Amino acid sequence: MVSSAQRLSLLNDEPVDSAGGDLLGAGRAARQLADLLIASRSATPFTLAVDAGWGMGKSSLMRLVDAELTTAPEVHTVWYNAWTSTGADALEGLIKSVLMRFDRRLLRRALHRVSEQRAVLRVLRALATVAAGPLGAAGLVDELWSSLSVNSQARNEMRDAIRDLAQEWAETAAYSPRRMLVVFIDDLDRCPEETVLAVCEAVKVYLDVPGLAFVIGCDRSAMGPSGLLRDLSPAGATFMEKIFQTSYRIPVADGQGVREYIRWCARTAGIEQLLDEPLVDLLAERSARNPRRIKRLVNGFVLEATLNPMWADHPPEAVLRTLLIQYFYADFYRMMTSPPGADGGDVIADFCTYRRVRTLLRTSATVSDEERPVVEAFLAQRDVPRNLTDPYAVLERLERELPTVFPDMVTDPAFNSLLDGLLDLPRSENLVRRLREGAPALVAAPGREQPDVGAGAIPDARTGTVVRRTAGFPGVDPQAPLVGRTILWVDDRPENNTSLAAWFRREGATVEIAVDSGAADAAIAARMPSLIISDIARGTDDRAGFAHVAALRRERRYTGPVVFFAGRVTPARQDTARELGALGVAADADELIRLIRGAFAGPSAPPVPPSAARPR
């Protein structure tokens, strides 16, 4: 735990707005973009997209461009955050934000012109507003908007009215060179489709006038036909393509720059002494060099180390290394924090032994008498033939019985350094035991880290934690495929699945629990389930679930969809599941839900082989 002498602090997530805060070298690009905008003022109107993924610095770059533009003669700027508007309000909000930048005398003149074309009642209202004198720009803009948006005919005239107003503002004889208004629109890719289209309509239909340039921050890939705007018609897709004349894709920061940024974050948060070079390298590469992701990880550590009493007996480095394993190696973290009795045993011990055995089999022509017992015991536990004359064949057979992530992780220097560093810390065995008894929810893993996803959570039955729902899993829907379905869940430790079973019930399914094959057979005889979820290992029988489903298939007592839910996914288990006609083997809640929803999404369940293979 962090001592009282240590001062840790959280990092803010505000965009950079000055050169002094630019740690990743965006200033040079900002200066060049600002110069390009200034040089292109005679080419207005045009739209430039600042394109990058979530957390990659779009807002910071735009703020720096804004700061550069403040030094240019007769270049004015306005900011509009699309995320703060909803639907049609975005159209009004953006147009009003632009109108607010024009001089009051020009707004009054525009209001006079509009009033000449309106009904008597509206004329009197407009003239009264003008005569009021002290009315501020906001009041004038409101009246002008009311006049221009009263009906469809008035809206048809809106673009011409705004064009006249912008031209008068930009080309007044007193100003040389001509004025330009740069409109920054941020967070467009966080908005719902209705808001995106309203903003684009304002930009292309009503504000596409000389003197105005738009800089829009968005992830264009997220707004494509396969993303946010997936339901667009062909005409709508063509319209979207016309919005952006050009794009600047923010490049990923170079490795050295990201490492310096990580060190700055560590110094600012007070954890610099905990980050050695291997950990800095790990953060740089495994975070995809994403500044926001790095900040969130650092903040997650600060909160855990400061507030979670679980870490009271462990040094801060233990918190950091555990958090990094969870964040960057989520599958391994899930296995190492599986509750006692869950399928698979001690994954850390298994991985370390596998690493040792793999080295022996790959580097030694023959295994020494001293090492042979270690190798043979590990092979025997997994029913791997112990003929060591062909060590590569033995290794290949062994890896089929181990978690699918092991072969990649054993060749990952960053992971091995991270794990070894954790195991070398004082009381590491006690820490791992406590994690298995009740793993803390640290931070969302990268794959789950989707910004601004709808509310809701999926409980992870194997770790006892609740994780954010990933994109693609909607909330409870009366028309959802689970409504009215009966799920039979066979597991000798049903307490491990309580929260996830409750979640399925909230989705509209009936969930029946069976603790062994006999209870499952009775449940099937009483009421045919829509789907079976089965564990694989029970007690001392590490293939009980396979054997039970094989019997059901062979005797044709159940031919519907099956999903195996186990602590570990291995190639051998995946093959056996396929041979039994199962949908697959899931090791976490997200994958389990995906497989089950997929089973009911189509017109019928997947076919079952005529004669299911006997489990090996």
Side-chain angles (χ1 to χ4, degrees), residues 92-103:
E92 177 181 350
L94 178 54
I95 292 176
K96 283 186 173 182
S97 295
V98 171
L99 293 178
M100 284 287 292
R101 297 299 297 168
F102 297 143
D103 303 337

Side-chain angles (χ1 to χ4, degrees), residues 452-457 469 473-476:
D452 315 313
V453 177
R469 175 177 288 126
F473 293 116
V476 177

Side-chain angles (χ1 to χ4, degrees), residues 429-557:
E429 292 183 3
N430 178 59
L431 170 60
V432 173
R433 183 170 60 253
R434 291 189 66 183
L435 287 171
R436 290 174 62 83
E437 292 171 352
L442 301 180
V443 293
R448 295 191 176 108
E449 188 176 46
Q450 301 291 336
D452 315 313
V453 177
I458 294 175
D460 188 327
R462 296 295 169 179
T463 66
T465 64
V466 174
V467 298
R468 290 184 60 185
R469 175 177 288 126
T470 56
F473 293 116
V476 177
D477 179 356
Q479 304 302 318
L482 295 188
V483 173
R485 307 287 185 174
T486 299
I487 296 174
L488 175 60
W489 199 323
V490 190
D491 196 319
D492 61 336
R493 292 183 175 270
E495 65 274 10
N496 291 339
N497 309 316
T498 301
S499 58
L500 187 51
W503 190 86
F504 280 121
R505 292 186 179 104
R506 289 195 295 273
E507 284 274 294
T510 298
V511 181
E512 298 181 358
I513 305 298
V515 297
D516 55 34
S517 299
D521 291 341
I524 293 170
R527 180 182 183 183
M528 184 62 65
S530 308
L531 179 140
I532 291 177
I533 303 173
S534 176
D535 59 0
I536 296 177
R538 298 174 200 156
T540 58
D541 186 350
D542 62 359
R543 305 184 67 79
F546 285 152
H548 179 231
V549 172
L552 293 176
R553 300 300 204 203
R554 188 169 55 251
E555 298 163 13
R556 310 297 294 179
R557 286 183 287 133

Side-chain angles (χ1 to χ4, degrees), residues 387-401:
N387 180 3
L388 301 183
T389 57
D390 185 355
Y392 284 93
V394 173
L395 181 60
E396 182 180 358
R397 180 69 180 85
L398 172 63
E399 289 177 343
R400 289 183 46 76
E401 304 295 337

